[in-house]
Amino acid sequence: MICYRDVHGELHERPPDASVEWRVSGYGIIERDGRLLMVEPVMAAGWTWGLPGGGVRLEPEETIIAG
C-alpha cells in the first residue's frame, strides 16, 4: 500500500494504477532582526500562514529534468 498526504495533511491511499505527478516548488525562510517573513493565509493550506515561495507548472511534454 502506498499512501500520500494532501495539502490539508490528510492521509490517502494511492490506487495501484494511478500515475505519480511531481510538482517542482521552492520555499524560503527569511529572518531579519528576529522576525520571520510569512505570507497571507491561503485557502489551499487551510487558512494558515505560509512561507514565501511557490511552484513551477511544467508543460505535459516536459519532465522535472527538462523543466
Side-chain angles (χ1 to χ4, degrees):
M1 171 172 47
I2 299 174
C3 297
Y4 67 94
R5 292 192 183 276
D6 63 18
V7 296
H8 305 288
E10 296 179 24
L11 192 62
H12 300 274
E13 184 177 340
R14 182 175 68 88
D17 60 342
S19 64
V20 175
E21 295 182 20
W22 297 95
R23 180 177 183 261
V24 180
S25 59
Y27 295 87
I29 297 175
I30 298 136
E31 182 271 333
R32 186 165 128 184
D33 299 329
R35 298 186 303 173
L36 184 64
L37 177 66
M38 303 292 284
V39 296
E40 290 284 336
V42 193
M43 181 55 181
W47 291 104
T48 60
W49 288 87
L51 295 172
V56 176
R57 182 167 294 160
L58 298 175
E59 296 298 325
E61 66 277 0
E62 291 181 303
T63 66
I64 292 174
I65 295 171

